[in-house]
Amino acid sequence: MIPSWLQHNYQQLQQLGATGQLHHGLLLLGKEGVGSFDLAYQLTLDLLCMSNGTQACGVCKACTLNKSQTNPDFMLVSAEKDSISVEQVRAISDFFVSTASFQGNKVVIVKDAHALTLSASNALLKTLEEPNANRYLVLLSDPNAPLPATILSRCFKITLTVDANQAKQFIGDLGIDATQAWVNAFLHRPLCLKQWQEDGQLSAVESLYQLSQQQTLQSCHKQLLELFNQNTDYIDIFAQFCAQKLQTELLSNTLDVKRYQEKNQALLSFAHKFKEVKGLNLSLQLNQLLKQLSYL
């Protein structure tokens, strides 16, 4: 289901499809938790439907196969070991060249397109530059992630955003108090809250917020380490809370620019090291980070 804040984007794409103006290469730019994949997948269902309407009928052969995720005219590509390889892109080209099973459209969604390797990006250019008829490539990417200019220039780009009032309504419907400070931090990507609720992680995320607000962060080492060992995704969440706190302190003049830059860099370095360096001593690195963040 497409969230309310993306309905206008969906209607725009529907209109383009109805008038035969839908671009063969779409780039949806949105943060995790905005609903990029939900939008891309609904568009896919519409394009593969055999009813020739602007929206999937839900009953034709193609729609039936979509429900069981076995439609041979759809391909989903995502990163393998943090990257999308040239072999995966070549598979897209082969998929597009082959005849559609229902003599209609074929669609490929590429999640995390910013994970394309250089060679994969170059290979993808041919598909974008020489499109086959009735073939649609939908790329999903974080708006702040780097993408080659050659890819950007050959796609129809839509930046997906969230209306704050609609997000608050959505969060409230989940039974979550949208006025809480830690919840407000995710108004720009509310689907994250829904996922955490379904996974039973809301209390852990709230704990990360409370810990990030402590004046003596070094005393939180044990609790944070336990949480990070439970789920490494909590590292980025904690880093976001800390970054927002630093920004607030900077704007209120309780933290000077030099120390703000030092602490913010320490946060970025910590998250980067954990993702890039294998066998990292998490406890030691966390202890060093908390010392730097506690430094006045």
Side-chain angles (χ1 to χ4, degrees), residues 84-195:
I84 297 174
S85 67
V86 66
E87 288 78 13
Q88 289 174 279
V89 172
R90 287 171 181 160
I92 294 173
S93 299
D94 293 340
F95 175 75
F96 276 157
V97 169
S98 63
T99 303
S101 296
F102 300 107
Q103 304 302 311
N105 299 319
K106 300 188 81 170
V107 184
V108 174
I109 295 177
V110 179
K111 298 177 69 175
D112 300 321
H114 48 270
L116 286 159
T117 64
L118 179 59
S119 56
S121 296
N122 292 334
L124 192 63
L125 283 179
K126 184 176 181 181
T127 298
L128 290 169
E129 292 172 339
E130 303 173 13
N132 298 87
N134 302 318
R135 302 296 187 263
Y136 296 94
L137 179 66
V138 186
L139 306 176
L140 311 182
S141 182
D142 185 291
N144 297 323
L147 280 172
T150 48
I151 298 289
L152 292 170
S153 64
R154 288 163 176 80
C155 291
F156 180 80
K157 297 177 287 295
I158 299 180
T159 299
L160 307 178
T161 58
V162 180
D163 177 81
N165 290 327
Q166 290 178 315
K168 289 177 182 178
Q169 179 64 52
F170 174 81
I171 292 169
D173 290 343
L174 294 175
I176 302 171
D177 182 2
T179 65
Q180 297 179 86
W182 73 271
V183 173
N184 276 319
F186 294 96
L187 288 181
H188 64 301
R189 47 194 189 115
L191 291 180
C192 287
L193 292 165
K194 181 183 179 190
Q195 188 62 58

Side-chain angles (χ1 to χ4, degrees), residues 17 20-21 42 50 81 89 99 137 144 204 208 243 272:
Q21 300 178 71
Q42 182 59 56
M50 301 167 65
K81 296 181 179 179
V89 172
T99 303
L137 179 66
N144 297 323
L208 288 167
H272 177 75

Side-chain angles (χ1 to χ4, degrees), residues 2-291:
I2 299 174
S4 59
W5 53 86
L6 295 184
Q7 285 296 329
H8 65 289
N9 298 116
Y10 177 50
Q11 290 167 8
Q12 176 189 9
L13 292 170
Q14 276 188 310
Q15 181 63 28
L16 290 172
T19 56
Q21 300 178 71
L22 187 64
H23 200 280
H24 66 276
L26 297 175
L27 175 58
L28 303 183
L29 299 167
K31 289 283 188 181
E32 178 189 1
V34 168
S36 303
F37 182 78
D38 296 324
L39 176 59
Y41 192 62
Q42 182 59 56
L43 179 63
T44 297
L45 298 180
D46 298 344
L47 288 170
L48 296 181
C49 178
M50 301 167 65
S51 69
N52 296 319
T54 59
Q55 192 166 21
C57 69
V59 296
C60 69
K61 179 64 174 178
C63 286
T64 301
L65 291 175
N66 285 332
K67 290 177 183 177
S68 60
Q69 300 182 352
T70 56
N71 193 321
D73 292 331
F74 170 62
M75 175 186 284
L76 176 63
V77 176
S78 55
E80 297 177 355
K81 296 181 179 179
D82 300 322
S83 66
I84 297 174
S85 67
V86 66
E87 288 78 13
Q88 289 174 279
V89 172
R90 287 171 181 160
I92 294 173
S93 299
D94 293 340
F95 175 75
F96 276 157
V97 169
S98 63
T99 303
S101 296
F102 300 107
Q103 304 302 311
N105 299 319
K106 300 188 81 170
V107 184
V108 174
I109 295 177
V110 179
K111 298 177 69 175
D112 300 321
H114 48 270
L116 286 159
T117 64
L118 179 59
S119 56
S121 296
N122 292 334
L124 192 63
L125 283 179
K126 184 176 181 181
T127 298
L128 290 169
E129 292 172 339
E130 303 173 13
N132 298 87
N134 302 318
R135 302 296 187 263
Y136 296 94
L137 179 66
V138 186
L139 306 176
L140 311 182
S141 182
D142 185 291
N144 297 323
L147 280 172
T150 48
I151 298 289
L152 292 170
S153 64
R154 288 163 176 80
C155 291
F156 180 80
K157 297 177 287 295
I158 299 180
T159 299
L160 307 178
T161 58
V162 180
D163 177 81
N165 290 327
Q166 290 178 315
K168 289 177 182 178
Q169 179 64 52
F170 174 81
I171 292 169
D173 290 343
L174 294 175
I176 302 171
D177 182 2
T179 65
Q180 297 179 86
W182 73 271
V183 173
N184 276 319
F186 294 96
L187 288 181
H188 64 301
R189 47 194 189 115
L191 291 180
C192 287
L193 292 165
K194 181 183 179 190
Q195 188 62 58
W196 293 332
Q197 185 182 61
E198 293 173 352
D199 295 341
Q201 297 176 331
L202 281 180
S203 60
V205 175
E206 184 174 6
S207 294
L208 288 167
Y209 175 77
Q210 298 298 339
L211 291 170
S212 72
Q213 304 305 300
Q214 299 299 312
Q215 292 298 320
T216 54
L217 281 172
Q218 285 178 272
S219 65
C220 305
H221 180 273
K222 181 179 179 181
Q223 291 168 278
L224 286 169
L225 188 60
E226 289 176 353
L227 287 168
F228 293 167
N229 282 326
Q230 287 175 23
N231 188 334
T232 54
D233 289 341
Y234 291 158
I235 292 175
D236 283 336
I237 297 171
F238 176 72
Q240 177 180 330
F241 286 143
C242 288
Q244 290 176 330
K245 181 185 177 184
L246 291 176
Q247 188 174 42
T248 298
E249 292 175 345
L250 176 66
L251 294 174
S252 63
N253 294 318
T254 57
L255 186 67
D256 63 44
V257 173
K258 180 180 179 181
R259 290 190 175 90
Y260 168 78
Q261 292 174 336
E262 291 173 349
K263 292 184 177 187
N264 197 51
Q265 183 56 47
L267 271 175
L268 294 173
S269 178
F270 175 72
H272 177 75
K273 281 182 180 178
F274 183 79
K275 292 177 182 177
E276 300 296 329
V277 181
K278 303 300 181 183
L280 189 71
N281 186 323
L282 179 58
S283 178
L284 178 60
Q285 293 297 322
L286 177 60
N287 187 55
Q288 292 177 351
L289 171 66
L290 298 182
K291 283 183 178 179

